[in-house]
Amino acid sequence: MMHLFMFNAALSAVLLGGGVRAGCTDGGSGGCSPPVGEKWDHWDMAHSTYTYCFHGCPMDFFINNSDSLPNPFAGVVGVDHYFTLQGMPCVDGKPQEFAHQDALTQKWKSVFPEMRFLQYRILSAVTYDMVIQNKVLTDHDAVVRWRHAPGSETTPGNDSVCYNYISECFNDPTRINDPAHNCSFHISAAAYNWTNPTLAQWFIDEVVAPTLVHADGIWLDGIGPDNGAYMCSGVCCGYGATNSPLVQTEIDAHCAAQAAATTQVQKYLISKGGWEAQKCFNYIGPGSLPTVSDSPKECASKLTTMAARGANHSTYNAIAAYTGRTGGMQGYNDTTAAATVAAFMLMRGQHWFLGISNTNDMALATAQLMTSDYGVPEGLMQPVAGQANVFERKYEKATIRLDCNTFTGTFNEK
């Protein structure tokens, strides 16, 4: 993942050592739109959560406590490649990353068949699956090569593949290339040659489309500095147009082609009822949402503003609230979970998801809130007459209320 560096994906030129170099760390959000299909169109909390499994993951907790939940867990879960051990160990010398993601998808969905599983994919050619390794070996134009010397289009290079020989991910012998993993080749990351006109369709057919067999789409990572081939396309960490395989004009073409390919991927997934979480979610943190630390007036203002947004789907694709790209509970804890769920249910529109824990455990009471079902809304949020800073919304099975004066949520079941 590129969690260690938070880049602006729209950035086309940044300062490096006093000069300007162009680069791009991901492909943007040009193909994003609201999700389609019945599996995304739910109003119950059981279907309306989001998290991401990286260092920790709540799924075993949900599975182990499934008999204590009011409804089966059915949220959206992204799974990092580190969580599936980057395809390690190898089998018959071959890495197994995509197979590991499929196996985990099937394991979890055997318990919770309506959950949405988003498999990890990355915009660099990381060779921890034979689909990628075979493409690098058999298609000369699939990845960026040293066609010319760094910074010079006129001085020939040796035409070798540019690999990431720097990041500890690939070069620490205790990590992916640990001899104990019994791999038949050194695993690394190359940079896809997105200017190859056949590459985007290959990427969709062989890397993206298979995630829809068992899972529901992808979490598409960029090319940032822990396991991407950032140095091969002039991005970050001391690499630019003067010391990478691509000069500035080639970097510009690479970025444009990568954005076009990402747009194709996002459009493809959504057209097939899938999802791309990295860019297509509108992540909204607690700074814009009601929390226990707000004054009553501020809580009411945030609640009103976000309820208006929830009522206007044209302002968002799908909202992941109280969280970020890598999941987690932001702006609330187990103590304030009920009030936060109430606020969420008052504000929300179609295709809203509440961020939940990305650790291994949570309070059972919180898990029960996150798998509740109060039916569909019967209208929009309304202020409660005669009570300042108190709001409610009627759902099919309950009237849900938030008192901003005390940040207290109540669920009056019908």
Side-chain angles (χ1 to χ4, degrees), residues 28-37 40-41 118 216 218 262-283 309 312-320 350-353:
S29 57
C32 294
S33 60
V36 299
W40 299 102
D41 192 12
L118 302 178
D216 304 278
I218 64 175
T262 303
T263 294
Q264 286 180 250
V265 166
Q266 292 159 342
K267 288 184 175 181
Y268 169 82
L269 284 168
I270 293 170
S271 73
K272 299 295 183 179
W275 189 243
E276 193 285 291
Q278 165 81 297
K279 289 294 182 180
C280 291
F281 268 134
N282 305 93
Y283 295 99
R309 186 172 187 187
N312 184 2
H313 207 326
S314 68
T315 66
Y316 65 91
N317 298 314
I319 284 177
Q350 185 186 29
H351 304 133
W352 276 47
F353 301 86

Side-chain angles (χ1 to χ4, degrees), residues 256-381:
Q258 180 172 265
T262 303
T263 294
Q264 286 180 250
V265 166
Q266 292 159 342
K267 288 184 175 181
Y268 169 82
L269 284 168
I270 293 170
S271 73
K272 299 295 183 179
W275 189 243
E276 193 285 291
Q278 165 81 297
K279 289 294 182 180
C280 291
F281 268 134
N282 305 93
Y283 295 99
I284 302 179
S288 300
L289 300 167
T291 69
V292 69
S293 61
D294 294 334
S295 68
K297 182 178 180 180
E298 185 178 15
C299 170
S301 176
K302 289 179 176 181
L303 196 66
T304 302
T305 298
M306 293 308 301
R309 186 172 187 187
N312 184 2
H313 207 326
S314 68
T315 66
Y316 65 91
N317 298 314
I319 284 177
Y322 294 97
T323 194
R325 301 175 310 138
T326 56
M329 300 158 58
Q330 295 183 5
Y332 77 100
N333 55 30
D334 290 326
T335 301
T336 56
T340 303
V341 169
F344 175 83
M345 294 292 280
L346 264 60
M347 297 181 293
R348 69 165 299 178
Q350 185 186 29
H351 304 133
W352 276 47
F353 301 86
L354 176 64
I356 62 171
S357 174
N358 56 4
T359 65
N360 295 332
D361 296 300
M362 67 172 66
L364 180 58
T366 300
Q368 291 169 336
L369 277 169
M370 301 308 173
T371 51
S372 59
D373 180 4
Y374 295 107
V376 299
E378 296 179 340
L380 300 176
M381 183 187 79

Side-chain angles (χ1 to χ4, degrees), residues 35-338:
V36 299
E38 290 185 6
K39 70 179 175 181
W40 299 102
D41 192 12
H42 294 273
W43 291 87
D44 60 303
M45 285 303 305
H47 284 83
S48 300
T49 61
Y50 169 76
T51 196
Y52 187 82
C53 298
F54 181 24
H55 293 300
C57 182
M59 287 307 300
D60 283 344
F61 175 89
F62 279 114
I63 291 169
N64 293 335
N65 290 278
S66 59
D67 290 342
S68 300
L69 303 176
N71 298 282
F73 174 82
V76 179
V77 182
V79 176
D80 193 79
H81 58 173
Y82 283 120
F83 195 79
T84 46
L85 306 179
Q86 294 187 301
M88 297 297 106
C90 286
V91 176
D92 297 327
K94 300 175 182 179
Q96 303 289 311
E97 172 58 17
F98 294 174
H100 284 192
Q101 292 265 336
D102 275 344
L104 190 61
T105 305
Q106 292 172 287
K107 175 185 175 182
W108 289 350
K109 286 200 169 197
S110 70
V111 182
F112 299 129
E114 293 190 20
M115 70 169 291
R116 278 68 46 90
F117 190 116
L118 302 178
Q119 297 189 358
Y120 181 94
R121 294 295 188 265
I122 186 171
L123 287 167
S124 282
V126 183
T127 57
Y128 53 26
D129 192 275
M130 292 307 297
V131 169
I132 313 302
Q133 172 70 350
N134 289 337
K135 184 66 171 176
V136 174
L137 294 179
T138 60
D139 185 344
H140 182 272
D141 295 321
V143 292
V144 172
R145 294 175 175 270
W146 290 97
R147 299 179 188 275
H148 54 70
S152 172
E153 290 182 277
T154 59
T155 305
N158 63 11
D159 203 42
S160 63
V161 174
C162 177
Y163 282 112
N164 180 341
Y165 289 113
I166 297 168
S167 297
E168 291 184 359
C169 173
F170 305 115
N171 298 292
D172 181 339
T174 67
R175 295 181 66 177
I176 193 169
N177 285 299
D178 188 330
H181 292 154
N182 295 317
C183 298
S184 61
F185 58 92
H186 181 88
I187 296 168
S188 189
Y192 285 119
N193 175 23
W194 295 111
T195 59
N196 176 345
T198 67
L199 188 67
Q201 191 59 52
W202 169 85
F203 188 78
I204 290 173
D205 292 342
E206 303 298 330
V207 178
V208 176
T211 68
L212 298 179
V213 175
H214 301 295
D216 304 278
I218 64 175
W219 197 100
L220 184 60
D221 208 351
I223 59 176
D226 54 343
N227 51 58
Y230 55 90
M231 69 291 295
C232 298
S233 53
V235 179
C236 100
C237 313
Y239 290 88
T242 61
N243 60 356
S244 295
L246 305 181
V247 297
Q248 189 62 64
T249 54
E250 292 170 319
I251 290 172
D252 293 342
H254 174 91
C255 289
Q258 180 172 265
T262 303
T263 294
Q264 286 180 250
V265 166
Q266 292 159 342
K267 288 184 175 181
Y268 169 82
L269 284 168
I270 293 170
S271 73
K272 299 295 183 179
W275 189 243
E276 193 285 291
Q278 165 81 297
K279 289 294 182 180
C280 291
F281 268 134
N282 305 93
Y283 295 99
I284 302 179
S288 300
L289 300 167
T291 69
V292 69
S293 61
D294 294 334
S295 68
K297 182 178 180 180
E298 185 178 15
C299 170
S301 176
K302 289 179 176 181
L303 196 66
T304 302
T305 298
M306 293 308 301
R309 186 172 187 187
N312 184 2
H313 207 326
S314 68
T315 66
Y316 65 91
N317 298 314
I319 284 177
Y322 294 97
T323 194
R325 301 175 310 138
T326 56
M329 300 158 58
Q330 295 183 5
Y332 77 100
N333 55 30
D334 290 326
T335 301
T336 56

